[in-house]
Amino acid sequence: MKLEVIEKYPLEGVGKWMKQAAFTANGWAAFIFTKKYPCESLIFIREGKVTYREIEMEKKGGLYGNEIVLFACQDKICILKNIHELEVITDPEQPAAIIPVTNGNFFKKVIPESDPFAPAELRGLHTVSTGAVFPIGFEYGYYQGEIRNIGYLELDLAKGAARWVAFMGIPEKDLFPGRSDDSRENNLIKFDSALMKEDEVYFFCPGAKMGSVNKWGMDWYALWKTNRRGKIKDILFDSGPLEWIDQKKRGVHGVFSYSGRYAILTPHFHSDEWKGKQKLFDLSTRDWIDVQMPRGLTKGLILQHTGTRFWVSSHTDENLYLAVCEEVR
């Protein structure tokens, strides 16, 4: 697949790395870029106009516990900063409406306050849903800084209602029986992103082992489909064990597109067979697609795909911009 640039949006005063993106049904976009911790840059692009906001994570005991979660529902942008309320944005130049989550005490039932790892904390899972239920990422237990649990948030924006309906984690042994040794077979798998279609959920998972990916590489990565209760229905692809192939570190991250068509795959390292280049995985045909980036964007990163458009970020030491690209036919 070869891409060409059709629009560019220079960005100012934001960090170089995009953390999350969301696209509404009526065609506007929102991105969270890194900024000086604990603040994030929230950027809206609507009808060719760029609007900036700064948002801040909530404090907890002097540290910042919950991360900010960004997603789109119908024609609205939604932001979660905690498990008790949802911010809903219909116009980037107007204040957000606040929708209370009616059962914010849900987590006290599934995770007692006496649990030494309580409470579960929000993490920035890339989440896409074609319906009213959204998979939301959580950190819980001794898996510090990793998304290994999923909570399901059900929305009815017309009634201004939101509620939690489930919370789950999946042991590695349930996905790949016998792959790991006894010492870690009960490890919960990690989640990069989720795509929910009706009662089916696609997950991209970057392995299960604990420890630094930068230092040790991933143990495996896979894309698979479950029902909402976590029962495995289909494994679309599986890297197989990566740790003992040779001395090279390997690993791939995946984000589902808002079009529902692709998983956008980005290698963690530049030294393996991927050579640092992204690929697309077509969820319907199961084809692997190499991408030829436009001139001037050869080091750009595909962030998202919606409709017929790809959103690509590129930065130099001085400048950061978003490019909107389309496939050359």
Side-chain angles (χ1 to χ4, degrees):
M1 179 187 293
K2 183 177 181 180
L3 301 182
E4 61 180 353
V5 178
I6 59 173
E7 294 178 63
K8 283 186 179 181
Y9 296 97
L11 302 180
E12 300 176 355
V14 302
K16 293 181 178 180
W17 306 112
M18 192 276 294
K19 296 181 71 175
Q20 297 175 70
F23 294 82
T24 66
N26 58 351
W28 56 294
F31 301 88
I32 291 180
F33 277 81
T34 57
K35 203 171 183 179
K36 186 176 180 180
Y37 189 80
C39 294
E40 310 278 17
S41 295
L42 179 58
I43 299 168
F44 302 98
I45 299 179
R46 187 181 189 185
E47 297 177 351
K49 182 178 180 180
V50 181
T51 305
Y52 296 85
R53 289 189 190 180
E54 187 175 279
I55 52 178
E56 185 174 338
M57 300 180 194
E58 295 188 343
K59 290 185 178 181
K60 177 191 173 185
L63 299 175
Y64 290 86
N66 290 316
E67 292 183 357
I68 295 165
V69 180
L70 174 75
F71 60 95
C73 182
Q74 302 165 8
D75 59 351
K76 298 174 175 60
I77 296 295
C78 299
I79 295 173
L80 270 175
K81 293 182 181 178
N82 58 60
I83 61 173
H84 300 289
E85 62 182 27
L86 178 73
E87 296 184 15
V88 179
I89 300 170
T90 56
D91 184 335
E93 298 185 355
Q94 298 296 323
I98 304 297
I99 293 179
V101 179
T102 56
N103 63 340
N105 62 350
F106 170 83
F107 288 92
K108 291 183 179 180
K109 297 178 181 178
V110 295
I111 305 173
E113 290 184 331
S114 59
D115 188 320
F117 296 112
E121 295 178 339
L122 291 171
R123 292 291 174 261
L125 180 82
H126 295 270
T127 184
V128 181
S129 176
T130 60
V133 178
F134 291 79
I136 305 295
F138 283 87
E139 174 189 326
Y140 166 63
Y142 48 82
Y143 306 107
Q144 293 187 355
E146 298 175 336
I147 303 171
R148 298 201 186 223
N149 288 91
I150 299 293
Y152 288 96
L153 183 66
E154 184 178 62
L155 305 182
D156 187 338
L157 296 184
K159 295 181 179 179
R163 68 187 186 106
W164 297 104
V165 293
F167 183 77
M168 64 95 178
I170 300 176
E172 182 180 22
K173 64 182 180 181
D174 289 359
L175 184 61
F176 297 120
R179 173 167 295 185
S180 58
D181 58 40
D182 292 341
S183 66
R184 71 176 212 207
E185 68 172 3
N186 289 316
N187 276 5
L188 299 181
I189 60 173
K190 296 183 278 190
F191 299 97
D192 262 357
S193 58
L195 167 65
M196 188 157 188
K197 293 184 175 182
E198 297 179 353
D199 198 43
E200 293 183 335
V201 193
Y202 294 81
F203 288 112
F204 185 90
C205 301
K209 76 174 181 181
M210 300 176 67
S212 169
V213 171
N214 289 333
K215 185 175 182 179
W216 304 108
M218 292 180 185
D219 46 344
W220 53 266
Y221 57 86
L223 191 159
W224 46 286
K225 182 167 60 175
T226 75
N227 62 18
R228 200 164 76 183
R229 292 166 296 281
K231 183 178 179 181
I232 313 300
K233 298 184 71 173
D234 190 12
I235 297 175
L236 281 74
F237 69 76
D238 164 29
S239 69
L242 300 174
E243 296 172 286
W244 312 115
I245 296 175
D246 51 32
Q247 298 301 310
K248 291 182 180 179
K249 295 181 288 187
R250 292 173 168 82
V252 171
H253 296 283
V255 172
F256 293 106
S257 68
Y258 262 81
S259 64
R261 181 174 179 182
Y262 299 118
I264 303 164
L265 306 177
T266 304
H268 194 95
F269 303 100
H270 287 72
S271 56
D272 62 6
E273 298 82 357
W274 288 60
K275 301 186 184 301
K277 294 184 178 180
Q278 291 178 294
K279 296 179 184 287
L280 302 176
F281 180 80
D282 191 306
L283 296 176
S284 57
T285 66
R286 306 196 182 192
D287 290 333
W288 295 78
I289 303 169
D290 294 316
V291 181
Q292 182 179 341
M293 303 294 280
R295 175 180 289 184
L297 275 176
T298 54
K299 294 185 178 180
L301 283 177
I302 298 173
L303 304 179
Q304 263 296 338
H305 175 261
T306 179
T308 61
R309 296 185 166 192
F310 291 90
W311 290 76
V312 178
S313 71
S314 183
H315 64 79
T316 64
D317 291 339
E318 297 83 23
N319 301 303
L320 170 69
Y321 64 89
L322 292 176
V324 180
C325 302
E326 289 189 343
E327 182 179 357
V328 177
R329 299 291 183 178

